[in-house]
Amino acid sequence: MKSHGHPIADPPEARIDLPQTAGGQGDTIAAIATAIVPQQGSVGIVRLSGVTALAIAKAMFRAPGQQPWESHRILYGFVTDPATGHTVDEALLLLMLAPRSYTREDVVEFHCHGGVMAVQQVLQVCLNQGARLAQAGEFTLRAFLNGRLDLTQAEGVADLVAAQSTLAARTALAGVQGKLTQPIRALRSRCLDMLAEVEARIDFEDDLPPLDEEAVQQTLQAVLAEVTTLLATAEQGERLRTGLKVAIVGRPNVGKSSLLNAWSRTDRAIVTDLPGTTRDVVESHLVVGGIPVQVLDTAGIRDATDQVEQIGIERSRRAAQAADLVLITLDATAGWTEADQALYDLVQDRPLIVVINKQDLVEGTAKISLPDATMATVYTAAAQNQGIDALESAILEAIHADQIALNNLEFTLNQRQAAALTEAQLALTQVQQTIEGQFPLDFWTIDLRTAIHALGSITGDDITESMLDEIFSRFCIGK
């Protein structure tokens, strides 16, 4: 049977001792590995990992009959509290013994009834039996420290859990499978080869032929070109992780809230015939063409005397100016007004689409004179749920270049990885300048080592304990 977790080969490396960041020398950790929602969720999982995981499981799990306690088998039975003898839950027990587990330690999972109480009681019994509550991301940290995953794969796990679209999940899974690791380690290897050539000439100058500077420069250019290509994925990766922020703006009572409700197929926003109903920015999260979209329904922008409405209008202005794309919404029965022009002046530096709403209240297609005839325009009747498909098509067209780039992505860099790769790029550029300036070979090695360290920090081949703490603190507790 395949090992539980992610489809990555399990090489036969020996275990390594866990440093202090993992809570001591190989103690056993426990956590709830599934979301806890009252009255929802059919299954809840409590996970254990460590040297006493199996012993704890045997102390608190009663498996009727002659079920074998073997690795990668599922046992049926009852979780009991050894202190009282009381049955806590009817459950399944999954054993994954080292090294064929997610952490390369003995891992035990109790598959309990969902909800809140069952998993919390099972977790408490585990803690009473000597396990320690896991820190954020500690299961994946142990997988990294034990050679199960490198750092890019570990971060891919976090990205996969947080993915908001199929595209984001696909690129995250590529990271989990090591597709980013391969080019980074190849670049680092080439840099190490260059460093070895240079240092050999420094140490054994009289015994070796002169260094081929032209060959070194060609290698540097090739490495820099690949680094630049990899860095180009960082912006698209951020778009996949954070999504597209779209602000719906317009005068009061033009149908902004109706548009949000029709688009999201919910009643997130209150809709009335009274202008100024929306007093604050209302958010909804959608996926359009594989891209996560955060839609902001803003308060109608007008001159208002009500203090609460004034605050809402100011927030609307800020949301519009911070959005990646603005939907200026008009009333088809009123056309383009001075108030619309003032709003346009506020956001015209942003990518925008004009949405002419309430099309159902006019005969034919509303003829509206816009300040820029080339602006993308969509006609909707939000109250009748009409025009939403055309709106989504216009949004994808507005970000056409981004969409093509996203669809062609195999993997992406996160902010930390991009920062490290940028450091490597600067160091390698400095090596080029050092060569051109005819500086001694010792100067070449300084920046080559900087580049090698930066590349190693991406995969975890060269990383500090404090960096690990920072990276894994962003994970959820049970992962």
Side-chain angles (χ1 to χ4, degrees):
M1 183 180 292
K2 293 182 180 179
S3 68
H4 177 73
H6 304 283
I8 304 166
D10 285 321
E13 293 97 297
R15 296 187 186 191
I16 63 173
D17 289 335
L18 296 174
Q20 195 61 41
T21 53
Q25 298 298 315
D27 57 348
T28 298
I29 56 174
I32 297 172
T34 48
I36 303 176
V37 183
Q39 300 179 339
Q40 295 185 32
S42 58
V43 176
I45 298 176
V46 177
R47 178 178 293 160
L48 288 161
S49 179
V51 291
T52 60
L54 181 59
I56 291 173
K58 286 186 173 182
M60 57 186 287
F61 192 79
R62 178 166 52 85
Q66 301 299 315
Q67 300 179 63
W69 284 68
E70 297 176 354
S71 184
H72 294 78
R73 282 185 176 273
I74 296 177
L75 284 71
Y76 160 77
F78 301 89
V79 180
T80 61
D81 185 346
T84 64
H86 293 158
T87 297
V88 176
D89 193 17
E90 181 181 22
L92 298 176
L93 181 71
L94 176 59
L95 300 176
M96 293 163 284
L97 302 183
R100 295 175 58 227
S101 71
Y102 182 66
T103 62
R104 278 228 174 107
E105 302 173 334
D106 289 345
V107 171
V108 175
E109 289 184 353
F110 296 96
H111 291 232
C112 316
H113 287 91
V116 177
M117 292 311 302
V119 288
Q120 287 186 339
Q121 289 184 81
V122 171
L123 175 62
Q124 187 58 54
V125 175
C126 291
L127 300 180
N128 292 343
Q129 291 302 302
R132 171 178 61 77
L133 187 64
Q135 301 170 10
E138 190 168 354
F139 289 94
T140 304
L141 174 60
R142 290 187 174 207
F144 165 72
L145 293 171
N146 287 327
R148 175 71 168 82
L149 307 169
D150 69 32
L151 201 53
T152 66
Q153 292 171 313
E155 290 178 299
V157 170
D159 288 339
L160 185 59
V161 172
Q164 301 179 55
S165 69
T166 54
L167 277 176
R170 188 186 72 193
T171 57
L173 184 59
V176 174
Q177 293 172 329
K179 291 185 178 180
L180 175 58
T181 302
Q182 297 164 9
I184 295 296
R185 282 193 168 149
L187 290 172
R188 186 169 183 265
S189 177
R190 295 175 76 177
C191 290
L192 284 167
D193 289 343
M194 285 189 287
L195 180 63
E197 287 286 331
V198 174
E199 290 187 330
R201 273 25 181 226
I202 296 173
D203 296 335
F204 308 102
E205 183 178 4
D206 297 334
D207 301 325
L208 294 173
L211 182 67
D212 189 343
E213 292 188 12
E214 184 177 348
V216 172
Q217 287 183 314
Q218 289 176 351
T219 302
L220 273 173
Q221 290 173 354
V223 170
L224 276 168
E226 190 165 349
V227 167
T228 301
T229 300
L230 289 173
L231 279 172
T233 71
E235 185 176 349
Q236 286 86 7
E238 189 65 18
R239 171 61 54 84
L240 280 179
R241 276 181 281 273
T242 62
L244 182 73
K245 185 177 294 185
V246 176
I248 305 175
V249 302
R251 296 181 293 106
N253 210 30
V254 296
K256 298 185 299 300
S257 296
S258 296
L259 183 63
L260 173 65
N261 289 343
W263 194 3
S264 62
R265 295 176 177 83
T266 64
D267 293 326
R268 293 295 305 276
I270 300 173
V271 178
T272 72
D273 292 330
L274 298 174
T277 301
T278 301
R279 297 298 185 95
D280 204 349
V281 177
V282 179
E283 294 186 15
S284 189
H285 294 269
L286 310 170
V287 176
V288 177
I291 300 176
V293 176
Q294 178 188 12
V295 186
L296 308 175
D297 172 28
T298 64
I301 297 178
R302 62 173 180 175
D303 292 329
T305 57
D306 183 281
Q307 185 176 5
V308 174
E309 187 176 356
Q310 286 176 345
I311 294 173
I313 290 171
E314 181 56 34
R315 290 182 179 178
S316 297
R317 288 195 175 98
R318 290 199 299 267
Q321 292 172 327
D324 300 308
L325 180 66
V326 176
L327 306 181
I328 296 184
T329 309
L330 311 181
D331 184 339
T333 63
W336 187 269
T337 68
E338 291 184 4
D340 294 317
Q341 181 63 45
L343 182 56
Y344 172 71
D345 293 339
L346 178 68
V347 298
Q348 61 177 321
D349 62 327
R350 315 298 303 161
L352 57 87
I353 297 172
V354 175
V355 180
I356 301 176
N357 193 35
K358 303 187 181 181
Q359 176 62 32
D360 54 318
L361 301 182
V362 300
E363 293 185 8
T365 302
K367 304 297 183 183
I368 298 177
S369 178
L370 301 176
D372 183 353
T374 64
M375 286 193 295
T377 305
V378 176
Y379 294 87
T380 63
Q384 309 301 322
N385 294 320
Q386 297 174 6
I388 302 303
D389 290 342
L391 174 61
E392 292 191 346
S393 297
I395 290 173
L396 292 177
E397 182 65 27
I399 58 170
H400 182 63
D402 282 348
Q403 180 66 12
I404 292 175
L406 290 172
N407 282 325
N408 291 331
L409 283 178
E410 188 174 17
F411 54 78
T412 63
L413 298 171
N414 62 28
Q415 287 183 337
R416 184 196 72 83
Q417 295 160 354
L421 200 57
T422 299
E423 182 183 356
Q425 183 185 48
L426 293 173
L428 292 171
T429 301
Q430 186 61 43
V431 176
Q432 282 187 321
Q433 295 172 357
T434 300
I435 296 174
E436 293 168 0
Q438 299 295 309
F439 287 93
L441 295 181
D442 301 74
F443 286 79
W444 299 23
T445 64
I446 296 172
D447 294 307
L448 276 172
R449 287 195 183 96
T450 299
I452 291 166
H453 169 73
L455 292 169
S457 71
I458 296 175
T459 57
D461 294 315
D462 191 354
I463 196 165
T464 64
E465 192 170 305
S466 61
M467 289 177 67
L468 289 180
D469 286 341
E470 180 181 352
I471 291 168
F472 286 96
S473 66
R474 296 191 289 266
F475 281 57
C476 59
I477 294 294
K479 196 59 180 171

